[in-house]
Each structure stands twice: as structure tokens, then as C-alpha cells.
């Protein structure tokens, strides 16, 4: 019988996954409509679940799942001898879930036992959604169950480790006083929403040497202001009570006169340890300071951009791998059930690496758009390998406390 896998994320102190408590008896009941094999056992005992957002789930029968390339999950599952159950939190019931599995080329709807391991690929922001997630976690080991954290929170977690501090740009919670102090020191700074995504709401403040003037950039807009106090007043109006951080600007390397940074896919593998599975380059549009693909940036292989923008590209890539793995390991020690990350890092002309931010549900399509097909497929396969590893551990040792 083929093994079945469900997606969500566990985390451990040594880089390997901890296991939640054993499910309560009522979660083990078998409904007469739950899928069974010929031996009378539930087929879902060897299933891994993939938790999707409702829009992607509804598109499954049409096989038009947009940014989520579900076909690669299915191909990897066949390679690994697994079967996948796709579902949403809205279909979760007491002891079972309604979802879809691929059979004879079609995504057939089934009512099945809650899978023992789940990979979460949806963002959960509502109170009701978080409550349903807790219900799922009572019966399934869900990795990346919580996949959205404040930028300032992640920075503070990493700053607790002495060995990582050299890679962290100076970062503070926004206040008018803190901004004024940073500007008096002549720093170029970014102001970023604490919970912002895809580069929205980012403001860059750059001093113009020997003039007292400041250049402001936000989105595709630019403006020069006559003084630091005028720039500070503009920022207060722009932010308008939202939660922001102030971050020292990283002197990013550039390619063809356009700054770039790197998206590093770091995932737990089939042995439970962290591995770099791909390094994507993101180059800003001409005249822009934002590298995000959704804001006009261009995706290219990381090696390509390092060759054109860094003095020693091979050494820089090795350092990117080393620092990214060190960050992932530390985050894995502090955040529950983490296994699939997209880390944004900057590299300067001399190859020095700086951490920018963590993405707990990064969009993978950019790797394909950059022509990195092998890495793209590997990024979909690795969570399945990890889920199978977790499933094997559960079958041997049961679900354990963290």
C-alpha cells in the first residue's frame, strides 16, 4: 500500500522534529464513509496531508492552482511512494476531514481520517482559522502551522545568538525619536511595516551628502526634502499610526546598475536536518530600490547575479549557504514545527552577507521563472521527504511532546 502524506510543520532543538501528543481517542474513530483499504484498515494511516487555502483547493479539479504547483507535489509523491490528501481547515470535522486525493488523473473528493502529518501551505489570520488550526494540531503533526511572524520578532530571536549578530542590520521598532537619532547619525534607513508582504509600504530614506537634504523613495515614487525634520514629518504622515520598524540599509551588490538580493530556500530533508535547496536572485527594476518580484523585480539564478555583482562569487555563495543554514537552525530551535523557509539575504560587493527577513510561506514560482527547474522541483519534493521522515518517526515512537 502506498504511503500517504499530509503537509504542516514540526520543529526541534537539534534540527530534527519534535512530536505532538498522541491523539485523543475520539480522533481515532473510523466513520463508515472514511476511506479504507482491502484489509479493512484506513488508507489514511500512511497519508500525508497538504493544507491549502480555499481558493487553491477549489481550483484542484480544474488543475489550475496558480502559484501552487500541485502537480509537482503529485509527481514527487509518486517518486517517493506516497499519497497526498489535499484539504482546507474549513473541511475539518471531529475525527475526519473531507478532502481530495489524485486517482486516475482526477482529484476525487473523499472523507478520510485526519492524516498523521500535514504540511501547511496557507496563511491563517483570523481567530476562527487559528482555532481550527489548533484542532488540527491535536490530531496531526503540522509543520509550518504558524508561518507568519513579525519582522521585528524574528530579528530579536536571531539577535539573541552572538554568532548571528554580525549578519543582522541594526533594527529598531519605529518611533519618531528613534528615527531622528538614526538620521542624525547619517544612516540610510528603510522603514518597513512589521507585517507587510511583497514589498508594500516600504520607505527608503537616504541623506544627500553635504546638502542637509534627504531623498525619499516609496514604491515607484521619489521625492527630495530640504531637511531631516521635513523628512521626519513626511514619514509620520505616511505611517499614520501603523506598526513599523526602522532598519539600517544594506549596501546591496548590483547588476547592470540595479540592486539585488537573494531568496534562499532552506528546508528540512528526509533525515530531519536543514538543507539549502535553491538560491534565487531578485533584481530590482531600473530606478527602484525594491527587489520583490511582485513589485517589478526580476528573478534570475543567484549564481548569475553573484557573478556580475560580487568580487568573489564562489566564496559569496558558500557564505550565503553557511549563514542561511545557521539562521534556519536557530529559528528551528525557537519556533514550533518549522521546516520550510524562504530566507531573504543581501550580499554587498565584497561578499558580506546580511539577513533581511524570513518567509514562512514563500512563493516558489519565481524559481521556475528564473529557469531554475531542478531547484524548483526539489523545493516541492523536500517537504514530502521530511513529512515521510516524520511519519516514520511517529510510527516507530508515537507522537511525543516537544
Amino acid at each position: 500500500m502506498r504511503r500517504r502524506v499530509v503537509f504542516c510543520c514540526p520543529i526541534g532543538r537539534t534540527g530534527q522534529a519534535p512530536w505532538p501528543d498522541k491523539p485523543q481517542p475520539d480522533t481515532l474513530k473510523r466513520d463508515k464513509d472514511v476511506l479504507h483499504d482491502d484489509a479493512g484498515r484506513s488508507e489514511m494511516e500512511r497519508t500525508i496531508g497538504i493544507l491549502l487555502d480555499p481558493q487553491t483547493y477549489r481550483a484542484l479539479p480544474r488543475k489550475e492552482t496558480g502559484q501552487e504547483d500541485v502537480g509537482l507535489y503529485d509527481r514527487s509523491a509518486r517518486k517517493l511512494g506516497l499519497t497526498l490528501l489535499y484539504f482546507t481547515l474549513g473541511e475539518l470535522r471531529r475525527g475526519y476531514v473531507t478532502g481530495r486525493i489524485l486517482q486516475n488523473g482526477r482529484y476525487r473528493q473523499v472523507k478520510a481520517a485526519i492524516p498523521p502529518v500535514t504540511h501547511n501551505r496557507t496563511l491563517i489570520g483570523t481567530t476562527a482559522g487559528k482555532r481550527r488550526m489548533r484542532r488540527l494540531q491535536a490530531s496531526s503533526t503540522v509543520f509550518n502551522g504558524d508561518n507568519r511572524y513579525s519582522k521585528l520578532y524574528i530579528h530579536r530571536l536571531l539577535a539573541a545568538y552572538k554568532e548571528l549578530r554580525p549578519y543582522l542590520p541594526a533594527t529598531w521598532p519605529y518611533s519618531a525619536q528613534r528615527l531622528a537619532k538614526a538620521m542624525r547619525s547619517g544612516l540610510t534607513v528603510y522603514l518597513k511595516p512589521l507585517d507587510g508582504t511583497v514589498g508594500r509600504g516600504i520607505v527608503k530614506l537616504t541623506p544627500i551628502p553635504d546638502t542637509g537634504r534627504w531623498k525619499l523613495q516609496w514604491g515607484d515614487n521619489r521625492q527630495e526634502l530640504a531637511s531631516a525634520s521635513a523628512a521626519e514629518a513626511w514619514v509620520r504622515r505616511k505611517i499614520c499610526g501603523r506598526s513599523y520598524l526602522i532598519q539600517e540599509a544594506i549596501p546591496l551588490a548590483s547588476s547592470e546598475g540595479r540592486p539585488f538580493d537573494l531568496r534562499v530556500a532552506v528546508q528540512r530533508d528526509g533525515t530531519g536536518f536543514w538543507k539549502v535547496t535553491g538560491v534565487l536572485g531578485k533584481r530590482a527594476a531600473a530606478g527602484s530600490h525594491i527587489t520583490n518580484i511582485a513589485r517589478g523585480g526580476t528573478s534570475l539564478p543567484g549564481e548569475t547575479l553573484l557573478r556580475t555583482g560580487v568580487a568573489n562569487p564562489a566564496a559569496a555563495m558558500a557564505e550565503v549557504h553557511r549563514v542561511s543554514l545557521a539562521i534556519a537552525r536557530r529559528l528551528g530551535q525557537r519556533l514550533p514545527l518549522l521546516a520550510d523557509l524562504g530566507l531573504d539575504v543581501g550580499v554587498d560587493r565584497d561578499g558580506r552577507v546580511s539577513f533581511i527577513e524570513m518567509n514562512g510561506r514563500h512563493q516558489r514560482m519565481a524559481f521556475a521563472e528564473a529557469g531554475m527547474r531542478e531547484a524548483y522541483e526539489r523545493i516541492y519534493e523536500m517537504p514530502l521527504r521530511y513529512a515521510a521522515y516524520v511519519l516514520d518517526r511517529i510510527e516507530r515512537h508515537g507522537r511525543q511532546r516537544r
Side-chain angles (χ1 to χ4, degrees), residues 79-357:
K79 176 181 176 180
L80 299 172
L82 304 170
T83 301
L84 307 180
L85 172 69
Y86 299 96
F87 67 101
T88 69
L89 285 175
E91 300 299 326
L92 185 65
R93 298 295 182 269
R94 189 178 181 86
Y96 71 92
V97 65
T98 300
R100 292 185 181 275
I101 62 173
L102 182 64
Q103 287 187 343
N104 300 320
R106 298 177 60 188
Y107 290 100
R108 184 168 72 88
Q109 184 167 295
V110 298
K111 186 159 71 169
I114 295 171
V117 183
T118 301
H119 177 40
N120 179 32
R121 285 295 294 169
T122 186
L123 292 174
I124 301 165
T126 66
T127 300
K130 292 176 181 177
R131 186 169 58 247
R132 291 190 184 108
M133 175 59 80
R134 287 194 295 271
R135 286 175 53 200
L136 175 62
Q137 290 168 330
S139 302
S140 179
T141 296
V142 179
F143 59 93
N144 281 48
D146 193 349
N147 53 20
R148 192 168 184 178
Y149 296 92
S150 158
K151 294 179 176 66
L152 189 59
Y153 176 68
I154 294 299
H155 183 275
R156 286 172 171 168
L157 285 185
L158 296 176
Y161 299 101
K162 183 177 180 180
E163 75 273 15
L164 296 181
R165 290 174 196 157
Y167 309 104
L168 304 178
T171 303
W172 310 275
Y174 170 80
S175 71
Q177 295 78 12
R178 182 65 259 183
L179 178 61
K181 184 176 180 179
M183 294 176 72
R184 282 197 302 271
S185 68
L187 288 177
T188 296
V189 296
Y190 283 101
L191 292 100
K192 302 178 179 181
L194 288 186
D195 298 309
T197 58
V198 297
R200 293 191 185 97
I202 294 177
V203 178
K204 184 179 183 182
L205 290 173
T206 306
I208 301 174
D210 304 321
T211 67
R213 299 175 67 83
W214 284 79
K215 180 170 68 174
L216 283 77
Q217 294 173 268
W218 71 101
D220 296 326
N221 304 297
R222 290 164 191 77
Q223 185 175 347
E224 282 191 18
L225 294 176
S227 66
S229 59
E232 292 165 28
W234 184 95
V235 168
R236 285 195 298 272
R237 292 192 299 271
K238 180 72 174 177
I239 289 178
C240 196
R242 294 177 62 193
S243 295
Y244 265 67
L245 61 77
I246 303 167
Q247 188 167 77
E248 178 185 10
I250 299 166
L252 294 176
S254 62
S255 171
E256 300 179 2
R258 297 150 62 183
F260 68 84
D261 60 22
L262 304 173
R263 166 66 56 84
V264 187
V266 193
Q267 300 168 299
R268 292 187 191 267
D269 65 12
T271 64
F273 290 93
W274 292 101
K275 177 178 288 187
V276 172
T277 45
V279 180
L280 173 76
K282 301 179 296 169
R283 187 171 64 186
S288 175
H289 64 103
I290 297 177
T291 62
N292 196 283
I293 306 302
R295 311 295 288 177
T298 304
S299 58
L300 293 161
E303 293 91 339
T304 300
L305 290 179
L306 289 176
R307 281 197 301 269
T308 61
V310 174
N312 188 333
M317 181 61 80
E319 183 71 348
V320 165
H321 278 241
R322 188 187 68 81
V323 173
S324 298
L325 287 170
I327 289 171
R329 292 186 191 110
R330 287 305 193 184
L331 290 174
Q333 292 170 1
R334 300 293 299 274
L335 302 176
L337 303 175
L338 196 67
D340 185 5
L341 297 176
L343 301 180
D344 287 343
V345 302
V347 181
D348 68 12
R349 175 67 189 169
D350 295 323
R352 286 186 291 264
V353 175
S354 297
F355 172 75
I356 300 174
E357 65 181 38

Side-chain angles (χ1 to χ4, degrees), residues 58-69:
R58 288 193 296 269
L60 269 177
R62 304 190 305 274
K63 300 182 180 180
E64 297 174 356
T65 51
Q67 291 287 323
E68 200 74 5
D69 196 340

